[in-house]
Amino acid sequence: MSPHAPVLLTEVLQALAPAAGDVIIDATFGAGGYTRAILATGATVIALDRDPTVQPHADAVANDFPGKFQLIRTPFSGLADAFSDTGAARLDGVVFDIGVSSMQLDQAERGFSFMRDGPLDMRMSDEGETAADIVNSWDHGPLAHIFKLYGDERQSGRVATAILRRRVETPFTRTLDLAEVVEKALGGRRGAPIHPATRVFQALRIAVNDELGELRAGLEAAEATLAPGGRLAVVTFHSLEDRIVKAFLTERTGNAPGGSRHAPVAVDTRKPSFTLSFKGAREAGEEERAANPRARSAKLRAAVRTDAPAWGRIAA
Ligand SMILES: C[S@@+](CC[C@H](N)C(=O)[O-])C[C@H]1O[C@@H](n2cnc3c(N)ncnc32)[C@H](O)[C@@H]1O
């Protein structure tokens, strides 16, 4: 199993600016790369992860930083409750490093990979619907919909048809079996630069873990929970996620475009709940991109909480 190399660590620390006495939520603990760097500044870390298998990493961190660290097993949607249960008075920073970790990808038995045979699972936690449940039970329409929407698979209907045809004879249980059926439905590899099943596997992973819904819930919870002056840093790895973060920050910093003369909209009188830490997104430099392929698609956006009331739910 390859260790998980934290992505954009220097840039994240700069945006999060943790200091002794601060309380920071690392909402995606993983192997604890960010957490350890934050703890080294003297801040206290409340870490979250929905994956029970990160526990040994958390035990090691707790051992090295006694009294300064705790791990809470919850998805982002439980962030606000988890924070309030800790009894901490003030939250100074929240960081999200969205997506799967190298540990999750590398373990065949987690079922994320179309390169290694394993059970068709893909759950980051150990609860809820698996990828096998989805491909064996969803109708053609919803299957094709997620392949298109979450995977950008142009031949989504053709893949869904092949899946439905095959599952009548034998339900899917293994990753490589599904990868082969998808590959065949798409007419083989034909020199494609990526495996033909890449997009369908990405789509299933996003659906199994409700990754986009969770991201929205996490951003809402951060807004509701951060103290004035608290910092938010979000690292994403594909455009669907980055779009959500960008739209959230554009709206909540008061920069959403108004209506035109021809299509006026009601004037938004809400005060911005965030100010941008920097314009746009920060990306990894040449050195990090060369050393860590995962860093090549990473984008960091960051903002500082104002003292205005939270705006609440993100419009879907
Ligand atoms: C990319 S890894 C984080 C790596 C970490 N920054 C490090 O330096 O080791 C993402 C982690 O977040 C967890 N995760 C992803 N989505 C989550 C969610 N919605 N709720 C809770 N944990 C989540 C995953 O289980 C995984 O362990």
Side-chain angles (χ1 to χ4, degrees):
M1 197 196 308
S2 55
H4 183 96
V7 168
L8 288 169
L9 180 60
T10 309
E11 294 80 356
V12 163
L13 286 178
Q14 213 171 38
L16 212 50
D22 280 355
V23 175
I24 307 286
I25 288 186
D26 177 355
T28 48
F29 175 72
Y34 287 0
T35 284
R36 281 182 178 277
I38 297 164
L39 284 165
T41 68
T44 295
V45 172
I46 301 165
L48 315 180
D49 206 300
R50 56 171 24 177
D51 184 347
T53 72
V54 305
Q55 191 62 47
H57 297 290
D59 293 342
V61 173
N63 197 43
D64 293 345
F65 296 90
K68 300 290 265 180
F69 165 79
Q70 61 180 299
L71 173 74
I72 303 174
R73 205 178 133 198
T74 176
F76 303 155
S77 42
L79 186 153
D81 286 344
F83 177 68
S84 109
D85 289 349
T86 65
R90 175 191 155 88
L91 181 60
D92 301 288
V94 179
V95 58
F96 295 92
D97 177 15
I98 303 295
V100 278
S101 66
S102 320
M103 289 94 68
Q104 289 166 334
L105 279 176
D106 289 352
Q107 288 172 301
E109 68 272 20
R110 304 298 299 268
F112 287 105
S113 174
F114 48 78
M115 311 285 277
R116 297 181 182 84
D117 196 31
L120 195 49
D121 192 319
M122 298 196 197
R123 291 172 304 170
M124 289 185 201
S125 72
D126 53 2
E127 294 159 3
E129 225 175 8
T130 65
D133 293 333
I134 291 181
V135 295
N136 289 325
S137 70
W138 284 23
D139 289 340
H140 186 276
L143 270 183
H145 182 69
I146 60 161
F147 295 157
K148 177 124 195 54
L149 194 69
Y150 298 160
D152 210 13
E153 174 53 66
R154 269 172 296 162
Q155 307 202 59
S156 52
R158 183 190 286 246
V159 176
T161 302
I163 287 174
L164 262 66
R165 203 171 283 155
R166 199 343 263 283
R167 80 186 189 197
V168 191
E169 299 153 22
T170 324
F172 291 93
T173 59
R174 310 289 297 177
T175 49
L176 286 193
D177 180 24
L178 176 66
E180 267 170 39
V181 169
V182 173
E183 184 179 334
K184 228 181 259 167
L186 295 173
R189 302 205 180 195
R190 294 202 226 137
I194 58 166
H195 189 291
T198 308
R199 290 180 289 272
V200 165
F201 269 62
Q202 173 180 302
L204 283 169
R205 198 198 88 196
I206 292 175
V208 164
N209 296 292
D210 184 22
E211 290 183 30
L212 306 183
E214 276 292 320
L215 174 55
R216 288 192 196 93
L219 295 173
E220 287 164 4
E223 184 196 44
T225 318
L226 276 168
R231 286 80 62 195
L232 169 67
V234 191
V235 177
T236 60
F237 292 88
H238 60 74
S239 56
L240 286 171
E241 296 165 344
D242 183 52
R243 223 176 289 154
I244 290 172
V245 180
K246 185 179 174 189
F248 173 79
L249 291 180
T250 303
E251 182 187 67
R252 308 236 163 167
T253 52
N255 288 312
S260 72
R261 195 156 58 86
H262 307 291
V265 291
V267 176
D268 202 332
T269 52
R270 289 177 290 190
K271 295 217 178 81
S273 56
F274 284 99
T275 54
L276 286 183
S277 306
F278 47 82
K279 258 183 105 177
R282 295 229 158 117
E283 297 182 12
E286 277 313 311
E287 210 174 306
E288 185 176 4
R289 295 165 90 90
N292 183 2
R294 203 170 161 267
R296 290 177 200 155
S297 51
K299 283 197 157 80
L300 166 70
R301 293 185 189 271
V304 179
R305 185 73 172 87
T306 67
D307 59 5
W311 291 29
R313 294 298 301 270
I314 299 174

